[in-house]
Amino acid sequence: MNRLVLMAGVCAAALTAGAALAQTAPAQISDDKVKIAVLNDMAGVYADPTGMGSVEAVRMAVEEMGGKVAGKPVEVIFADHQNKPDVGASLANKWIDTEQVDVIVDVPTSSVALAVQEITRQKNRVFLISGGGAAQLTGPACSPTTAHWTYDTYALAQGMGTAGPKMLGDSWYFLTVDYAFGHALERDVSEVLKANGAKVAGAVRHPLNTADFSSFLLQAQSSQAKVIALANAGGDTVNSIKQAQEFGLTQGGQTLASMLMFPTDIHSLGLQAAQGLVLTDGWNPDRDEESRAFVKAYMARTGRMPSMIQAGSYSAVRHYLKAIAAAGTDEAKAVMAKMRETPVNDAFTKGGTLRIDGRMVHDMYLMQVKTPAESKGPWDYYKVLTTIPGEQAYRPLDKGGCPLAK
């Protein structure tokens, strides 16, 4: 009997010790690897500022970590969402359910980003948004596993809406891409313009990736507004600027203002056509030696200047991998907690902070496209007019309607 009691005591002690060991043992990496999926536009209107360029930027972040984190390999896969929410959602579900993807990155086209965010929320996966811009991603639709990294429509509005009336004119008309991003950008910029004394004369909306802007530009021209605000991006911005010049809008005294523009857009237009354009950007590639070194390394791989979206994808993944190393696990909420604890200091930004609503707060820049005489060489396109501190650029945490902020 005493022997049985003794054996029971030993077993109980062993179980207690085992439980204690389980509690103190480092967490594991699921499936013994970290799998990163880049989801964006590979062939359409946003392919230049995102596309394979974002994949290369993510690969650079992985290589900086030695291709491993917490002793486990890191794998990068990618796909084209074709700017369609149903395609993006289908890919996200497949990746998570059958391919054990841990994090989805980039996702331009806000309607796609909103669909993917709901999936990553439900399935407890990290979502690092660099390409999607709608501010509602960190507003009512916010998620505890999302980091909205590079820019949003609110920040773009703060830059252009505050300085625009003084620099460009006091009456504005919007040429807006007809989906969530364009609607949010038009709304946010309009509110700031009005608060700064400008009049919004109206707006016309065009389909995503349209080839013919003639009817929309004629409406903008007939508005007689001093400024035609382009609430679109990528190929739509390039085509609308080219066709606006063909229709004589700028020659007639109206000014074009791009709400969102990328170095590849300037490259497509040429400095002669793009000079003087004012825009808001989330990244200054000439900020310091670290940013310039990233640009040099990126251009050696791709032959072109990275957009803020591509630089943001690099930064977000780099910060994510460092958080996994610190947490010892790739479990989404644990990683997000580490990401919020740690300031973001890299080639993209200095002193960036990730809030509970998912917004990564960092400086924004009001830029102007250089004249051909000012440019020092290929891809030297921007000069900084002013730096907008992150606390001023981004919507206050208590004003966005994110349930997590409560």
Side-chain angles (χ1 to χ4, degrees):
M1 187 70 176
N2 289 341
R3 185 177 177 185
L4 288 174
V5 171
L6 179 61
M7 288 178 66
V10 170
C11 289
L15 287 170
T16 302
L21 183 61
Q23 290 174 358
T24 58
Q28 298 298 308
I29 303 300
S30 60
D31 307 302
D32 285 326
K33 67 179 174 183
V34 174
K35 199 165 188 177
I36 301 170
V38 182
L39 181 62
N40 63 28
D41 179 356
M42 295 283 173
V45 66
Y46 301 140
D48 280 347
T50 64
M52 286 303 299
S54 288
V55 176
E56 283 303 311
V58 168
R59 286 171 174 163
M60 288 175 68
V62 172
E63 288 168 15
E64 283 189 16
M65 297 291 291
K68 292 184 177 182
V69 63
K72 304 298 182 181
V74 180
E75 181 182 351
V76 178
I77 63 173
F78 55 89
D80 184 351
H81 62 38
Q82 302 171 42
N83 297 306
K84 298 176 181 177
D86 58 336
V87 173
S90 176
L91 284 164
N93 276 316
K94 176 189 171 189
W95 276 341
I96 295 170
D97 294 343
T98 68
E99 299 188 38
Q100 292 77 50
V101 159
D102 298 294
V103 57
I104 297 176
V105 183
D106 195 0
V107 194
T109 314
S110 295
S111 52
V112 183
L114 286 161
V116 172
Q117 175 161 270
E118 188 56 33
I119 292 166
T120 54
R121 180 216 312 273
Q122 292 174 3
K123 299 185 176 181
N124 195 39
R125 294 294 189 276
V126 173
F127 187 24
L128 305 177
I129 306 171
S130 190
Q136 59 258 48
L137 287 158
T138 55
C142 69
S143 164
T145 61
T146 289
H148 198 181
W149 209 258
T150 303
Y151 75 102
D152 63 25
T153 54
Y154 186 97
L156 296 179
Q158 290 302 304
M160 186 62 70
T162 302
K166 297 176 184 177
M167 296 182 60
L168 304 176
D170 60 3
S171 61
W172 292 59
Y173 188 90
F174 283 85
L175 183 65
T176 302
V177 63
D178 193 9
Y179 76 95
F181 163 72
H183 302 170
L185 187 53
E186 178 190 318
R187 180 194 65 238
D188 292 345
V189 177
S190 294
E191 289 176 359
V192 183
L193 285 170
K194 292 173 184 176
N196 283 273
K199 174 188 176 184
V200 177
V204 61
R205 292 176 175 176
H206 68 83
L208 177 66
N209 203 21
T210 187
D212 184 4
F213 284 87
S214 56
S215 65
F216 312 115
L217 290 167
L218 286 171
Q219 291 181 63
Q221 192 173 38
S222 64
S223 74
Q224 298 184 337
K226 293 178 183 177
V227 183
I228 307 304
L230 306 177
N232 52 22
D236 283 338
T237 299
V238 172
N239 289 331
S240 55
I241 291 172
K242 286 180 178 177
Q243 292 178 39
Q245 291 168 341
E246 292 169 6
F247 275 86
L249 268 71
T250 54
Q251 296 91 322
Q254 290 177 303
T255 298
L256 296 176
S258 175
M259 303 297 101
L260 182 61
M261 205 166 194
F262 305 106
T264 47
D265 301 334
I266 307 300
H267 199 70
S268 296
L269 287 165
L271 276 183
Q272 192 64 42
Q275 62 182 311
L277 280 168
V278 176
L279 61 136
T280 309
D281 203 288
W283 178 53
N284 177 12
D286 197 33
R287 185 198 67 206
D288 58 18
E289 286 302 317
E290 188 173 11
S291 64
R292 287 188 285 271
F294 172 75
V295 169
K296 184 177 180 181
Y298 182 91
M299 290 187 69
R301 298 169 75 118
T302 67
R304 57 174 56 191
M305 173 72 75
S307 69
M308 67 168 172
I309 292 174
Q310 290 155 346
S313 293
Y314 157 85
S315 172
V317 168
R318 187 176 183 270
H319 198 68
Y320 167 76
L321 293 175
K322 286 192 167 188
I324 290 177
T329 177
D330 57 3
E331 192 278 322
K333 290 185 177 67
V335 174
M336 290 297 300
K338 284 295 179 184
M339 291 179 71
R340 287 191 288 267
E341 286 176 12
T342 312
V344 184
N345 290 299
D346 56 27
F348 179 75
T349 194
K350 295 294 183 189
T353 56
L354 182 60
R355 298 190 316 206
I356 189 64
D357 63 347
R359 177 69 261 161
M360 201 277 275
V361 177
H362 59 90
D363 291 347
M364 297 287 291
Y365 303 90
L366 190 67
M367 304 279 206
Q368 187 170 36
V369 180
K370 292 181 176 181
T371 66
E374 290 173 321
S375 176
K376 298 175 183 177
W379 298 102
D380 179 30
Y381 295 150
Y382 295 154
K383 57 185 177 185
V384 177
L385 296 179
T386 187
T387 300
I388 309 160
E391 294 74 18
Q392 296 176 24
Y394 288 101
R395 181 177 56 205
L397 179 61
D398 62 350
K399 301 297 184 185
C402 171
L404 300 172
K406 299 175 184 178

